[in-house]
Amino acid sequence: MVKTIYVLNGPNLNLLGTRQPEIYGSDTMADVEANCRALVEPLGFGLKFFQSNAEHQLIDWIHEARNEACGLVINPAAYTHTSVAILDALNTFESPVFEVHISNVHKRESFRHHSYVSLRADGVIAGCGILGYELALRRLVQLVEPA
Ligand code: CA2
């Protein structure tokens, strides 16, 4: 049976590539999805890639992942810094979780320095641009399919 990885993206990331390229670069969410797919599919994994501006939708996908996914990569965007509800949902997910931020949140405003999601994440990648998604997936694959 094909193992599936969920990649979840939070609010405003649908605008990736259209605004603030100095912070987030010029690639779009479609580019991120294509890169993720190109990495994991040849390794025999399935990929479900989602973006939502709604907190409840992200939580519903995390719940779905509990039964469907062997691991999860999440860029919770601004909910990183505010959402106990997303942390609670992630705490019900038993496989590896990686948190990705395109920008280096620690070089930015102090309110971006705290992450609720990091209390659950097995790894955190920030400031590597959209390459961070692939770095997270590489580590996830290594954990799910030990050599
Ligand atoms: O660096 C990241 O990936 C963030 O998760 C992005 C969030 C921000 O609130 C976090 O602190 C760090 C913001 C996502 C907004 O994405 C946009 C992308 C392009 C244009 C406008 C918004």
Side-chain angles (χ1 to χ4, degrees):
M1 205 176 112
V2 176
K3 291 179 179 172
T4 301
I5 299 169
Y6 273 42
V7 179
L8 304 183
N9 295 281
N12 298 306
L13 283 165
N14 54 308
L15 298 178
L16 195 66
T18 69
R19 297 267 190 288
Q20 297 180 274
E22 67 287 0
I23 300 177
Y24 299 113
S26 52
D27 292 306
T28 65
M29 269 283 103
D31 296 324
V32 177
E33 177 173 1
N35 292 350
C36 291
R37 223 169 260 296
L39 174 66
V40 303
E41 287 183 350
L43 299 173
F45 289 87
L47 185 89
K48 288 210 169 178
F49 191 97
F50 298 114
Q51 186 278 329
S52 179
N53 296 324
E55 190 174 23
H56 72 88
Q57 179 63 80
L58 294 163
I59 291 166
D60 286 346
W61 284 326
I62 295 167
H63 292 175
E64 184 182 296
R66 294 176 69 229
N67 300 318
E68 303 291 331
C70 65
L72 195 154
V73 172
I74 183 166
N75 182 347
Y79 290 139
T80 307
H81 319 298
T82 63
S83 181
V84 175
I86 288 177
L87 171 62
D88 286 346
L90 289 170
N91 278 332
T92 73
F93 182 75
E94 292 178 1
S95 298
V97 172
F98 286 86
E99 175 183 350
V100 171
H101 298 288
I102 297 167
S103 66
N104 181 358
V105 284
H106 300 290
K107 206 176 171 184
R108 301 181 65 190
E109 304 95 322
S110 60
F111 66 82
R112 296 186 202 274
H113 297 176
H114 177 261
S115 165
Y116 285 101
V117 170
S118 293
L119 291 167
R120 165 63 183 89
D122 297 292
V124 181
I125 294 166
C128 295
I130 65 164
L131 181 65
Y133 288 84
E134 289 165 82
L135 298 173
L137 286 167
R138 282 205 174 277
R139 176 64 178 152
L140 201 163
V141 163
Q142 192 178 55
L143 290 178
V144 170
E145 221 184 29

